[in-house]
Amino acid sequence: AFVGAVCAPSFAFASVDSGDTAWILTSTALVLFMTLPGLALFYAGLVQAKNILSVLMHHFAIACLCSVLWVIAGYSLAFSAGGAWIGDLSNLMMGAITTASLTGTIPESLFAAFQMTFAVITPALVIGAYVERIKFSAVLIFSGLWLLVVYAPVTHWVWGGGIMASWGVWGFGGWGVMDFAGGIVVHATAGTAALVAALVIGKRKSFPSSIHPPHSPILTMIGASMLWVGWFGFNGGSALAAGQGAAMALLVTHISAAVASLVWMFIEWRKFGRPSVVGMVTGMVAGLATVTPASGFIGVPGGIILGLAGGYICYVAVDFIRGKLQIDDSLDVFAVHGVGGVLGSLLVAVLATETFSGAGLSEGATISSQLGVQAASVGITVLWTAIASYIILRIAA
């Protein structure tokens, strides 16, 4: 039977495990490293040279703002008991956390910090949809409200003991959704918000006839490499322990990224006569986003399959969204993160089975029943994110 990626803070063991604590301390640093400077450089290399500073400013400001908001109310809304759909404010300003508070075998203060880095990178991903055509004040308003209205509730649903979780904090069990490190919580929400932002804010004046190519593939490759390394903490750290689960999550994360990168490279090679470094690193991100929700539940065969599927389907999605639908999601956030996260969230119902060397489904669950839970969870998350993001953008823009 599988074990959820995170556990409610009230679930505590007798003492802190130093090995687990050391690993999550490291993972926390790695996940923050994904945003600053990883994602910031990745996006900065893809825009025009004149927009580099604004992109870097957006990332740094969001990191600061969302960290403060997470401490004030975000963590409490996500991980306090509350109810099925939202936590309460009993842990406002993290006032209930002490040096003696535990989450599993690690200090609750560390758990809160680890989750904070996820709360930072998720709205930062959305930056890629609206670069080069939004006011800085609108970025701050949108990101702050979005963290509290979209990210915190969805985190509660999936990881905080809410309606979709594997356990319930309001008296009975949740649905038992499988989202190890954020295919639904991070990538589905960020991807959906990005698509809505692209539609609400509108196209760049030069789209699509004279869109400028990435001004610095070098910066993009460096940022992508940082993302790849940081993702070991993102997925491996979500085990909340330094053990076999973290090790397998790290391995399948790496192999999925490598396979997806090669898939994207060969598609470009065949279609255009030569591959590109931007294409290769985009394929890598697609593989990472796709494996994220499944990483703690699958074996190596599952990692390879998700790399193949993520690399191909996300490439098709980019071509469809940008080429066929003419939607100016500037840096393909929805096609890569949204589609990849949803794809991995659905396929985990199959790939977690022992047939594919996975950890197995929960007791009493079948592939069809688990797939139903996954699809329902994805559908509700996407719908809520789309509605809330639209309203917040109308307020902020």
Side-chain angles (χ1 to χ4, degrees):
F2 68 83
V3 177
V6 298
C7 53
S10 59
F11 177 66
F13 292 93
S15 61
V16 170
D17 183 284
S18 59
D20 294 345
T21 300
W23 168 234
I24 306 306
L25 284 166
T26 303
S27 295
T28 301
L30 285 172
V31 180
L32 182 60
F33 183 68
M34 290 174 67
T35 304
L36 301 174
L39 187 64
L41 293 178
F42 180 77
Y43 281 179
L46 293 172
V47 299
Q48 299 179 65
K50 66 179 182 179
N51 295 120
I52 294 178
L53 286 180
S54 68
V55 170
L56 296 178
M57 182 71 170
H58 290 170
H59 282 85
F60 206 94
I62 285 176
C64 296
L65 175 64
C66 291
S67 295
V68 172
L69 291 176
W70 187 249
V71 169
I72 294 173
Y75 178 72
S76 187
L77 292 172
F79 290 103
S80 294
W85 295 101
I86 190 67
D88 56 35
L89 295 176
S90 60
N91 208 353
L92 199 67
M93 300 294 293
M94 295 188 181
I97 299 178
T98 68
T99 54
S101 304
L102 299 181
T103 297
T105 58
I106 66 173
E108 188 183 353
S109 57
L110 177 56
F111 175 77
F114 180 65
Q115 290 298 326
M116 181 191 294
T117 60
F118 280 67
V120 164
I121 197 170
T122 307
L125 288 171
V126 186
I127 291 172
Y130 53 64
V131 290
E132 302 182 323
R133 61 191 193 279
I134 192 171
K135 294 180 179 179
F136 181 61
S137 58
V139 172
L140 295 180
I141 295 170
F142 171 76
S143 299
L145 290 175
W146 192 87
L147 176 75
L148 298 176
V149 175
V150 176
Y151 182 80
V154 175
T155 301
H156 182 75
W157 301 346
V158 177
W159 292 338
I163 188 69
M164 300 173 186
S166 299
W167 56 89
V169 296
W170 63 98
F172 52 92
W175 296 351
V177 70
M178 300 172 73
D179 185 8
F180 191 75
I184 296 173
V185 175
V186 176
H187 297 288
T189 59
T192 302
L195 183 62
V196 172
L199 292 171
V200 171
I201 296 173
K203 303 174 184 179
R204 288 168 289 180
K205 293 180 180 180
S206 56
F207 183 87
S209 58
S210 58
I211 291 297
H212 297 274
H215 94 279
S216 179
I218 296 172
L219 279 182
T220 296
M221 186 272 175
I222 292 172
S225 300
M226 293 174 176
L227 284 172
W228 193 341
V229 173
W231 227 291
F232 292 152
F234 197 88
N235 288 356
S238 291
L240 293 185
Q244 293 177 332
M248 182 59 77
L250 189 151
L251 176 59
V252 298
T253 295
H254 183 77
I255 196 64
S256 179
V259 169
S261 185
L262 291 174
V263 168
W264 203 292
M265 180 188 76
F266 284 120
I267 291 175
E268 282 194 336
W269 210 334
R270 182 171 181 177
K271 187 173 183 179
F272 303 112
R274 61 185 178 87
S276 70
V277 68
V278 171
M280 284 191 70
V281 300
T282 302
M284 175 213 76
V285 174
L288 290 169
T290 305
V291 78
T292 289
S295 55
F297 307 121
I298 62 174
V300 173
I304 294 172
I305 292 170
L306 287 175
L308 291 169
Y312 177 75
I313 293 177
C314 289
Y315 183 93
V316 172
V318 168
D319 189 56
F320 181 72
I321 296 294
R322 186 194 300 170
K324 300 296 191 299
L325 298 182
Q326 297 283 291
I327 296 174
D328 190 12
D329 178 0
S330 307
L331 306 184
D332 305 312
V333 182
F334 174 76
V336 174
H337 292 277
V339 171
V342 169
L343 179 63
S345 297
L346 297 177
L347 290 181
V348 67
V350 177
L351 299 178
T353 60
E354 295 178 2
T355 302
F356 296 95
S357 301
L361 302 177
S362 61
E363 185 177 353
T366 64
I367 291 177
S368 59
S369 68
Q370 190 63 51
L371 184 59
V373 169
Q374 299 300 118
S377 298
V378 167
I380 291 172
T381 298
V382 168
L383 180 62
W384 171 247
T385 302
I387 294 172
S389 297
Y390 177 82
I391 295 172
I392 296 170
L393 280 165
R394 286 301 186 190
I395 295 172

